[in-house]
Coordinates of all heavy atoms in Angstrom, one line a residue:
H1265 N -8.2 -9.9 -2.6 CA -8.5 -8.5 -2.7 C -9.7 -8.3 -3.7 O -10.1 -9.2 -4.4 CB -7.3 -7.7 -3.1 CG -6.7 -8.1 -4.4 ND1 -7.3 -7.9 -5.6 CD2 -5.5 -8.7 -4.6 CE1 -6.5 -8.4 -6.5 NE2 -5.4 -8.9 -6.0
I1266 N -10.1 -7.0 -3.7 CA -11.3 -6.7 -4.6 C -10.9 -6.3 -6.0 O -11.8 -6.1 -6.8 CB -12.1 -5.6 -4.0 CG1 -11.4 -4.3 -4.0 CG2 -12.6 -6.0 -2.6 CD1 -12.2 -3.1 -3.7
W1267 N -9.6 -6.1 -6.3 CA -9.2 -5.5 -7.6 C -9.4 -6.5 -8.7 O -9.1 -7.7 -8.6 CB -7.8 -5.1 -7.5 CG -7.6 -4.0 -6.4 CD1 -8.5 -3.0 -6.2 CD2 -6.5 -3.9 -5.5 NE1 -8.0 -2.2 -5.1 CE2 -6.8 -2.7 -4.7 CE3 -5.4 -4.6 -5.2 CZ2 -6.0 -2.3 -3.7 CZ3 -4.5 -4.2 -4.2 CH2 -4.8 -3.1 -3.4
C1268 N -9.9 -6.0 -9.8 CA -10.2 -6.8 -11.0 C -9.0 -7.3 -11.7 O -7.9 -6.7 -11.7 CB -11.1 -6.0 -12.0 SG -12.6 -5.3 -11.3
P1269 N -9.1 -8.4 -12.5 CA -8.0 -8.9 -13.3 C -7.6 -7.7 -14.3 O -8.5 -7.2 -15.0 CB -8.5 -10.1 -14.0 CG -9.6 -10.6 -13.1 CD -10.2 -9.4 -12.5
G1270 N -6.3 -7.5 -14.5 CA -5.9 -6.4 -15.4 C -5.8 -5.1 -14.8 O -5.2 -4.1 -15.4
C1271 N -6.3 -4.9 -13.6 CA -6.2 -3.6 -12.9 C -4.8 -3.4 -12.5 O -4.0 -4.3 -12.1 CB -7.1 -3.6 -11.7 SG -6.9 -2.2 -10.6
G1272 N -4.3 -2.1 -12.5 CA -3.0 -1.8 -12.1 C -2.8 -1.4 -10.6 O -1.6 -1.1 -10.2
I1273 N -3.8 -1.3 -9.9 CA -3.7 -0.9 -8.5 C -2.8 -1.7 -7.7 O -1.9 -1.2 -6.9 CB -5.1 -0.8 -7.8 CG1 -6.0 0.2 -8.5 CG2 -4.9 -0.3 -6.3 CD1 -7.4 0.2 -8.1
G1274 N -2.8 -3.0 -7.9 CA -2.0 -3.9 -7.1 C -0.5 -3.7 -7.4 O 0.3 -3.8 -6.5
T1275 N -0.2 -3.3 -8.6 CA 1.2 -3.0 -8.9 C 1.7 -1.7 -8.2 O 2.8 -1.7 -7.7 CB 1.4 -2.8 -10.5 OG1 1.0 -4.0 -11.1 CG2 2.8 -2.4 -10.8
V1276 N 0.8 -0.7 -8.2 CA 1.1 0.5 -7.4 C 1.3 0.2 -5.9 O 2.2 0.7 -5.3 CB 0.1 1.6 -7.7 CG1 0.5 2.9 -7.0 CG2 -0.2 1.8 -9.1
F1277 N 0.4 -0.6 -5.4 CA 0.4 -0.9 -4.0 C 1.7 -1.7 -3.6 O 2.3 -1.4 -2.6 CB -0.8 -1.8 -3.7 CG -1.0 -2.1 -2.2 CD1 -1.2 -1.0 -1.3 CD2 -1.1 -3.4 -1.7 CE1 -1.4 -1.3 0.0 CE2 -1.3 -3.6 -0.4 CZ -1.5 -2.6 0.5
S1278 N 2.1 -2.6 -4.5 CA 3.3 -3.3 -4.3 C 4.5 -2.4 -4.3 O 5.4 -2.6 -3.4 CB 3.5 -4.4 -5.4 OG 4.7 -5.1 -5.2
S1279 N 4.6 -1.5 -5.2 CA 5.7 -0.5 -5.2 C 5.7 0.4 -4.0 O 6.8 0.7 -3.4 CB 5.5 0.4 -6.5 OG 5.9 -0.3 -7.7
C1280 N 4.5 0.7 -3.5 CA 4.4 1.5 -2.3 C 5.0 0.7 -1.1 O 5.8 1.2 -0.3 CB 3.0 1.9 -2.0 SG 2.8 2.9 -0.5
L1281 N 4.6 -0.6 -1.0 CA 5.1 -1.4 0.1 C 6.6 -1.6 0.0 O 7.3 -1.6 1.0 CB 4.4 -2.8 0.1 CG 2.9 -2.8 0.3 CD1 2.4 -4.2 0.5 CD2 2.4 -1.9 1.4
S1282 N 7.1 -1.8 -1.2 CA 8.5 -2.0 -1.4 C 9.3 -0.7 -1.0 O 10.4 -0.8 -0.4 CB 8.8 -2.3 -2.9 OG 8.2 -3.6 -3.2
A1283 N 8.7 0.4 -1.3 CA 9.4 1.7 -0.9 C 9.4 1.9 0.6 O 10.4 2.3 1.1 CB 8.6 2.9 -1.6
I1284 N 8.3 1.6 1.2 CA 8.2 1.6 2.7 C 9.3 0.8 3.3 O 10.1 1.2 4.2 CB 6.8 1.2 3.2 CG1 5.8 2.3 2.8 CG2 6.9 1.0 4.7 CD1 4.4 1.9 3.1
K1285 N 9.4 -0.5 2.8 CA 10.4 -1.4 3.3 C 11.8 -0.9 3.1 O 12.7 -1.0 4.0 CB 10.2 -2.8 2.6 CG 10.8 -4.0 3.3 CD 10.4 -5.2 2.6 CE 10.9 -6.5 3.4 NZ 10.1 -6.7 4.5
A1286 N 12.1 -0.3 1.9 CA 13.4 0.1 1.6 C 13.9 1.3 2.4 O 15.1 1.5 2.6 CB 13.5 0.5 0.1
T1287 N 13.0 2.1 3.0 CA 13.4 3.2 3.8 C 14.0 2.7 5.1 O 14.8 3.5 5.7 CB 12.2 4.1 4.2 OG1 11.3 3.3 5.1 CG2 11.4 4.6 3.0
Q1288 N 13.7 1.5 5.6 CA 14.2 0.9 6.8 C 13.8 1.7 8.0 O 14.3 1.6 9.1 CB 15.8 0.8 6.8 CG 16.3 -0.1 5.7 CD 17.8 -0.3 5.8 OE1 18.5 0.5 6.3 NE2 18.2 -1.4 5.2
I1289 N 12.7 2.5 7.8 CA 12.1 3.2 9.0 C 11.2 2.2 9.7 O 10.5 1.5 9.0 CB 11.3 4.4 8.5 CG1 12.2 5.4 7.8 CG2 10.5 5.1 9.6 CD1 11.5 6.6 7.1
P1290 N 11.2 2.2 11.0 CA 10.3 1.3 11.7 C 8.9 1.4 11.3 O 8.4 2.5 11.1 CB 10.5 1.7 13.2 CG 11.9 2.3 13.2 CD 12.0 3.0 11.9
Y1291 N 8.2 0.3 11.2 CA 6.8 0.3 10.7 C 5.9 1.1 11.6 O 4.8 1.6 11.2 CB 6.3 -1.1 10.5 CG 7.0 -1.9 9.4 CD1 6.9 -3.2 9.3 CD2 7.7 -1.2 8.4 CE1 7.5 -3.9 8.3 CE2 8.3 -1.9 7.3 CZ 8.2 -3.3 7.3 OH 8.8 -4.0 6.3
N1292 N 6.2 1.2 12.9 CA 5.3 1.9 13.8 C 5.4 3.4 13.7 O 4.8 4.2 14.4 CB 5.5 1.5 15.3 CG 6.9 1.8 15.8 OD1 7.8 2.3 15.0 ND2 7.2 1.5 17.0
K1293 N 6.3 3.8 12.7 CA 6.4 5.3 12.4 C 5.7 5.7 11.2 O 5.8 6.8 10.7 CB 7.9 5.6 12.3 CG 8.8 5.5 13.5 CD 8.3 6.4 14.6 CE 9.3 6.3 15.9 NZ 8.8 7.2 17.0
F1294 N 4.9 4.7 10.7 CA 4.1 5.0 9.5 C 2.6 5.0 9.8 O 2.1 4.4 10.7 CB 4.3 3.9 8.4 CG 5.6 4.1 7.7 CD1 6.7 3.4 8.1 CD2 5.7 4.9 6.5 CE1 7.9 3.5 7.4 CE2 6.9 5.0 5.8 CZ 8.0 4.3 6.3
A1295 N 1.8 5.7 9.0 CA 0.4 5.6 8.9 C -0.1 5.8 7.5 O 0.5 6.6 6.8 CB -0.3 6.7 9.8
M1296 N -1.1 5.0 7.1 CA -1.6 5.1 5.7 C -3.1 5.5 5.8 O -3.8 5.0 6.7 CB -1.5 3.9 4.9 CG -2.1 4.0 3.5 SD -1.8 2.5 2.5 CE -0.1 2.7 2.0
V1297 N -3.5 6.5 5.0 CA -4.9 7.0 5.0 C -5.4 6.9 3.6 O -4.7 7.2 2.6 CB -4.9 8.4 5.5 CG1 -6.4 8.9 5.6 CG2 -4.3 8.6 6.9
S1298 N -6.7 6.5 3.5 CA -7.3 6.5 2.2 C -8.8 7.0 2.3 O -9.3 7.1 3.4 CB -7.3 5.1 1.5 OG -8.2 4.3 2.3
G1299 N -9.4 7.3 1.2 CA -10.8 7.8 1.2 C -11.7 6.6 0.7 O -11.6 5.5 1.3
I1300 N -12.4 6.8 -0.3 CA -13.3 5.7 -0.8 C -13.0 5.5 -2.3 O -12.7 6.4 -3.1 CB -14.8 6.2 -0.7 CG1 -15.1 6.3 0.8 CG2 -15.7 5.1 -1.4 CD1 -15.1 5.1 1.6
G1301 N -13.0 4.2 -2.7 CA -12.8 3.9 -4.1 C -11.9 2.6 -4.2 O -11.5 2.1 -3.2
C1302 N -11.7 2.1 -5.4 CA -11.0 0.9 -5.6 C -9.5 1.1 -5.0 O -9.1 0.2 -4.3 CB -10.9 0.6 -7.1 SG -12.4 0.2 -7.9
S1303 N -8.9 2.1 -5.4 CA -7.5 2.4 -4.9 C -7.5 2.5 -3.4 O -6.5 2.1 -2.7 CB -6.9 3.6 -5.6 OG -6.9 3.5 -7.0
A1304 N -8.5 3.1 -2.9 CA -8.5 3.4 -1.4 C -8.6 2.1 -0.6 O -8.4 2.2 0.6 CB -9.7 4.3 -1.1
R1305 N -8.9 1.0 -1.2 CA -8.9 -0.2 -0.4 C -7.5 -0.6 0.1 O -7.3 -1.5 0.9 CB -9.4 -1.4 -1.3 CG -10.9 -1.3 -1.5 CD -11.7 -1.2 -0.2 NE -11.4 -2.3 0.7 CZ -11.5 -2.3 2.0 NH1 -11.9 -1.1 2.6 NH2 -11.2 -3.3 2.8
G1306 N -6.4 0.0 -0.5 CA -5.1 -0.2 -0.1 C -4.9 -0.1 1.4 O -4.1 -0.9 2.0
A1307 N -5.5 0.9 2.0 CA -5.3 1.1 3.4 C -5.8 -0.1 4.2 O -5.4 -0.3 5.4 CB -6.1 2.4 3.8

């Protein structure tokens, strides 16, 4: 990925993925949207 060493975005992204998984909602019922910026690369 593009995130720098020491950046916290990966930690937030990991928590987001873990939360999605924990809902047990089928993945085809989700959509993720982002704009522009370091964090926005998550999409």
